[in-house]
Amino acid sequence: ESATAFGCLVSDMWLGEFDFVSPEAFHSVFGKRYPAFSRRTQHDAQEFLICVLDDLHEAFKQVRAQLCQERQSSAAGASTRSSSGTSIITHLFEGQLSYAIRCLTCKALSDRPESFTVLSLPIPSTRVCSLQDCLECFFQPDTLTRNNQIHCHWCGSNQDATVEASITKAPQIIIFHLKRFAWQDKNRRKLSTTVCYPFSDLDLSPYISTSCHNNTEYSLCAVVNHAGDLDYGHYTAFCKHSITQHWYSFDDAQVTKIPDSAVQADTAYLLFY
């Protein structure tokens, strides 16, 4: 099972007995469940990450449901009930957005909730911008017209509307995906924009609903980098040691300690806060 293989991988990494650890066993087991990732071809790190989180969530959810049933069956007169569908993955990584949709004809307001584990942020510049610029672009209000009209329940027909997103549940660990692969003139290309991101005190309060009481300040703990173009690329990672607070670079079999200044990179693709 991929969850067991992942647990062995994490255990091997933290035991500190090796200069580096190969994830081949986990990759082999995971590839059987997701054949697309078993081939030695180019894949997207964000898509892979979502599949890994989904797979681990399902595995841990089943274990939790089984434990709950065992506890309930051992209690006198206890009746079994279905699992709530939560896991350590949802506890750590799952947040919730709410899209406030207002009909521009009758002004009726409705909310559409949506869970997320990764926020895909547009990059609003071709040269340089900040993570806050990307967040502003993602959360800015939009107007839905023409083919994007909503069906208004009160009007009984399709109408123009405004939509604005906000975070109603902030996850403990929030993952940002920088949308570096974009369409331009019917061609897909990679944006090499420098995105400046803070190492600490990332304040998400401007984008969080007043009904959310979670902590809104985050610190950077890991970065996934992508070097290369659409047809050929290479992934590396920067990770912050949770105890020593030192940063390390992971580049295949090369694991090296790096200064904080090296963590700000033009190749950043996924940011973990």
Side-chain angles (χ1 to χ4, degrees), residues 178-196:
L178 302 178
K179 296 173 71 173
R180 292 198 175 276
F181 301 104
W183 290 94
Q184 187 178 47
D185 300 328
K186 298 183 179 180
N187 294 315
R188 200 161 182 251
R189 67 187 186 94
K190 181 184 176 182
L191 299 175
S192 57
T193 306
T194 298
V195 179
C196 301

Side-chain angles (χ1 to χ4, degrees), residues 96-104 107-114 138-144 150 160-168 207-211:
Q96 190 159 23
L97 293 171
S98 179
Y99 291 92
I101 304 171
R102 185 178 295 278
C103 174
L104 291 179
K107 309 303 180 185
L109 182 65
S110 61
D111 290 312
R112 193 189 78 202
E114 182 179 291
F138 180 89
F139 285 101
Q140 70 179 358
D142 196 10
T143 302
L144 306 177
I150 65 159
D160 291 352
T162 59
V163 58
E164 184 173 6
S166 62
I167 298 174
T168 51
Y207 320 109
I208 292 184
S209 169
T210 54
S211 62

Side-chain angles (χ1 to χ4, degrees), residues 110-130:
S110 61
D111 290 312
R112 193 189 78 202
E114 182 179 291
S115 297
F116 70 89
T117 51
V118 178
L119 279 186
S120 292
L121 304 181
I123 300 176
S125 173
T126 56
R127 296 189 63 184
V128 62
C129 67
S130 67

Side-chain angles (χ1 to χ4, degrees), residues 74-260:
S74 64
S79 59
T80 61
R81 57 185 176 86
S82 61
S83 169
S84 63
T86 61
S87 70
I88 186 64
I89 301 300
T90 55
H91 178 67
L92 292 176
F93 296 99
E94 187 177 273
Q96 190 159 23
L97 293 171
S98 179
Y99 291 92
I101 304 171
R102 185 178 295 278
C103 174
L104 291 179
T105 300
C106 71
K107 309 303 180 185
L109 182 65
S110 61
D111 290 312
R112 193 189 78 202
E114 182 179 291
S115 297
F116 70 89
T117 51
V118 178
L119 279 186
S120 292
L121 304 181
I123 300 176
S125 173
T126 56
R127 296 189 63 184
V128 62
C129 67
S130 67
L131 180 60
Q132 289 287 5
D133 293 330
C134 298
L135 287 164
E136 287 284 347
C137 190
F138 180 89
F139 285 101
Q140 70 179 358
D142 196 10
T143 302
L144 306 177
T145 61
R146 299 182 181 180
N147 294 334
N148 294 321
Q149 284 184 326
I150 65 159
H151 181 80
C152 179
H153 170 75
W154 299 102
C155 295
S157 59
N158 290 346
Q159 301 291 342
D160 291 352
T162 59
V163 58
E164 184 173 6
S166 62
I167 298 174
T168 51
K169 177 192 172 188
Q172 288 192 37
I173 301 172
I174 191 164
I175 306 170
F176 298 118
H177 162 231
L178 302 178
K179 296 173 71 173
R180 292 198 175 276
F181 301 104
W183 290 94
Q184 187 178 47
D185 300 328
K186 298 183 179 180
N187 294 315
R188 200 161 182 251
R189 67 187 186 94
K190 181 184 176 182
L191 299 175
S192 57
T193 306
T194 298
V195 179
C196 301
Y197 39 90
F199 289 11
S200 61
D201 302 324
L202 173 65
D203 185 12
L204 295 182
S205 59
Y207 320 109
I208 292 184
S209 169
T210 54
S211 62
C212 177
H213 302 293
N214 301 54
N215 180 32
T216 62
E217 289 196 355
Y218 289 82
S219 296
L220 187 69
C221 59
V223 180
V224 172
N225 302 292
H226 180 272
D229 52 30
L230 288 171
D231 300 319
Y232 175 80
H234 179 62
Y235 285 111
T236 61
F238 301 146
C239 299
K240 189 176 186 179
H241 197 290
S242 59
I243 299 173
T244 66
Q245 299 295 295
H246 294 147
W247 282 93
Y248 290 84
S249 169
F250 295 80
D251 185 354
D252 291 342
Q254 300 296 317
V255 181
T256 54
K257 184 179 176 181
I258 59 174
D260 291 1

Side-chain angles (χ1 to χ4, degrees), residues 32-103:
K32 293 177 182 178
R33 287 181 57 82
Y34 296 88
F37 292 109
S38 65
R39 298 186 291 271
R40 299 285 181 174
T41 55
Q42 298 290 308
H43 293 291
D44 185 85
Q46 182 237 0
E47 295 174 359
F48 177 73
L49 173 64
I50 290 175
C51 287
V52 169
L53 292 178
D54 286 347
D55 193 50
L56 293 177
H57 164 65
E58 290 300 323
F60 295 143
K61 183 178 69 172
Q62 292 169 10
V63 171
R64 179 172 177 169
Q66 183 178 351
L67 291 173
C68 287
Q69 286 184 353
E70 290 174 355
R71 290 195 192 102
Q72 290 169 359
S73 61
S74 64
S79 59
T80 61
R81 57 185 176 86
S82 61
S83 169
S84 63
T86 61
S87 70
I88 186 64
I89 301 300
T90 55
H91 178 67
L92 292 176
F93 296 99
E94 187 177 273
Q96 190 159 23
L97 293 171
S98 179
Y99 291 92
I101 304 171
R102 185 178 295 278
C103 174

